[in-house]
Amino acid sequence: MPRYLTEPPYTHGTPAKTGILLLNLGTPDAPTKQALKPYLKQFLSDPRVVEIPRALWWLILNGVILRIRPKKSAAKYASIWTEAGSPLRFHTEKQAKLLKGWLGERIKTPFVVDYAMRYGNPSVDDALQRLAEQGCERILAIPMYPQFAASSSASALDAVYQVLLTRRNQPALRTLRHYHDDPGYIAALASNVNAYWQQHGRPDVLMMSFHGVPRYTLDKGDPYHCECHKTGRLLAEALGLSKTQYQITFQSRFGRAEWIKPYTAASATELGKAKTRRVDVVCPGFVADCLETLEEIAMEVKQDFLNAGGGEFHYIPALNEHPDWISALGELSLANLGGWVSSDYNGALATQQAVTSRTLALALGAKQ
């Protein structure tokens, strides 16, 4: 097998483009047991996600989990699947299109916006191939996780690096590490919550639920826990909440190991037992609605709260296509594209220079 993939055809004189690649977690192709098995296998085989010794984990994953979990997960996905397919894929694709439009009003140099999923489709391999075929010599990779974690942000970038290992003609690469305290992102979160409250009223308690990670990752130096708390504090300040009016919790615990606490489900149950009149839940770590928000929070955690004796439970949708979020994402992109894009691009001059360059290249023996 060749060490490097075949490069796409190159035509001399073609202006170089800049690519912006949005990276999200992933989704199965369909809400079925057959589609869930390869998706879960790819996801749970990632050593960034599960740090158990490989040989032991291989036996657990293939001998137990992949025999049981696909059917259960398929049922969960089926409960949130839409005519447009996976909510996560739908929203991420829409965000990419809106970002392209936002940037197109501000920069004139040639650029491309695309998206990929760390697990499932569209894959990182395919997205990078598309960018290469479109002549992108510079790529800004943006993991769509506001808070950095080795199991999310780092894993997404691992996938990019792994693909570039197979490229003979590698593009220049920039990455966005995190944006947990970015003023635009915080303002977008606050705007989204306030808009919901203006329509539905305010709760007694706002629960900010972030995806959980095993406790040992914090002990080993992962900054995720601290970044979630900073996001929560900044959002509470933007909303004018006192410390008694909000809670920061962590969801999606998997396995028997201790994860960072407090757990969202347990906290919701306690609020229910306390006969809390109304609880609202927002998930600042998810910029697009997905299984973890639409099924786990809006259905499972809601039922935990109600069964424990609570009053009203409201899930506040993720940022999705909120215009303030698209603006914040655009500003983050521009801040990391410095020197690569410009609003002063002269298309006519660039075309003339391209023709000259191609003429010279052909004169020197280039084939195209």
Side-chain angles (χ1 to χ4, degrees):
M1 179 176 179
R3 180 175 179 181
Y4 303 113
L5 298 177
T6 302
E7 293 295 325
Y10 174 73
T11 300
H12 285 81
T14 303
K17 295 179 182 177
T18 297
I20 299 98
L21 180 62
L22 307 183
L23 300 163
N24 221 320
L25 179 74
T27 177
D29 292 332
T32 64
K33 177 181 176 181
Q34 293 75 17
L36 260 296
K37 188 170 183 178
Y39 170 73
L40 288 174
K41 184 172 185 178
Q42 183 188 17
F43 174 42
L44 296 175
S45 295
D46 186 345
R48 290 276 198 185
V49 173
V50 181
E51 296 186 39
I52 295 175
R54 292 293 91 189
L56 174 60
W57 180 240
W58 189 94
L59 292 173
I60 296 173
L61 177 61
N62 292 278
V64 180
I65 294 175
L66 291 180
R67 294 176 181 269
I68 300 172
R69 194 171 178 88
K71 183 178 180 180
K72 293 182 178 179
S73 294
K76 292 177 182 291
Y77 273 102
S79 71
I80 65 159
W81 214 257
T82 71
E83 292 183 0
S86 160
L88 179 63
R89 179 167 179 171
F90 168 80
H91 288 301
T92 305
E93 182 176 4
K94 195 72 177 293
Q95 288 170 347
K97 290 179 179 178
L98 291 171
L99 176 62
K100 180 180 180 180
W102 191 95
L103 290 172
E105 295 178 354
R106 291 159 178 81
I107 60 178
K108 301 303 179 184
T109 39
F111 71 95
V112 178
V113 179
D114 207 337
Y115 76 100
M117 298 295 175
R118 174 62 180 90
Y119 315 104
N121 296 306
S123 69
V124 175
D125 305 55
D126 290 344
L128 289 173
Q129 178 65 20
R130 288 194 299 272
L131 293 178
E133 291 172 352
Q134 294 178 79
C136 292
E137 295 185 0
R138 301 171 294 269
I139 294 175
L140 170 63
I142 304 179
M144 298 292 276
Y145 312 105
Q147 299 78 26
F148 177 92
S151 56
S152 56
S153 309
S155 178
L157 294 176
D158 281 350
V160 173
Y161 304 145
Q162 287 165 2
V163 173
L164 294 186
L165 283 172
T166 68
R167 296 293 182 189
R168 183 180 301 276
N169 185 16
Q170 290 184 337
L173 179 67
R174 290 179 183 172
T175 62
L176 181 62
R177 172 179 164 84
H178 55 189
Y179 49 93
H180 66 291
D181 57 357
D182 175 72
Y185 157 68
I186 298 297
L189 287 173
S191 177
N192 188 47
V193 173
N194 276 323
Y196 187 89
W197 285 349
Q198 287 172 8
Q199 185 176 357
H200 302 280
R202 297 172 68 95
D204 297 293
V205 176
L206 175 66
M207 185 180 295
M208 304 178 193
S209 180
F210 295 84
H211 199 289
V213 292
R215 166 72 200 200
Y216 65 76
T217 63
L218 172 61
D219 298 332
K220 292 182 177 181
D222 199 306
Y224 179 74
H225 180 263
C226 298
E227 294 191 1
C228 290
H229 274 276
K230 187 171 185 180
T231 296
R233 174 176 60 80
L234 292 174
L235 177 56
E237 291 174 359
L239 293 171
L241 300 179
S242 68
K243 291 184 178 179
T244 61
Q245 293 177 304
Y246 75 97
Q247 295 182 5
I248 295 173
T249 63
F250 299 90
Q251 64 184 87
S252 308
R253 182 187 179 194
F254 177 75
R256 298 181 180 179
E258 179 184 1
W259 283 38
I260 53 177
K261 296 178 179 180
Y263 300 141
T264 298
S267 298
T269 298
E270 288 302 313
L271 288 170
K273 290 179 178 179
K275 306 300 179 183
T276 306
R277 181 185 64 85
R278 173 175 158 181
V279 168
D280 285 9
V281 181
V282 67
C283 299
F286 298 91
V287 297
D289 274 316
C290 56
L291 183 73
E292 287 78 5
T293 63
L294 298 174
E295 194 278 335
E296 183 179 358
I297 297 298
M299 296 181 190
E300 291 186 17
V301 173
K302 176 181 180 178
Q303 202 59 52
D304 291 338
F305 174 74
L306 297 178
N307 288 345
E312 293 184 43
F313 182 100
H314 292 239
Y315 166 65
I316 300 175
L319 290 171
N320 295 326
E321 294 82 49
H322 194 293
D324 289 352
W325 162 235
I326 300 303
S327 295
L329 182 58
E331 295 290 356
L332 282 166
S333 300
L334 286 179
N336 288 273
L337 288 169
W340 280 6
V341 296
S342 172
S343 60
D344 299 326
Y345 181 74
N346 187 325
L349 178 59
T351 299
Q352 181 181 352
Q353 291 173 338
V355 170
T356 301
S357 175
R358 176 172 169 74
T359 300
L360 292 173
L362 293 174
L364 291 172
K367 295 182 179 181
Q368 59 179 8

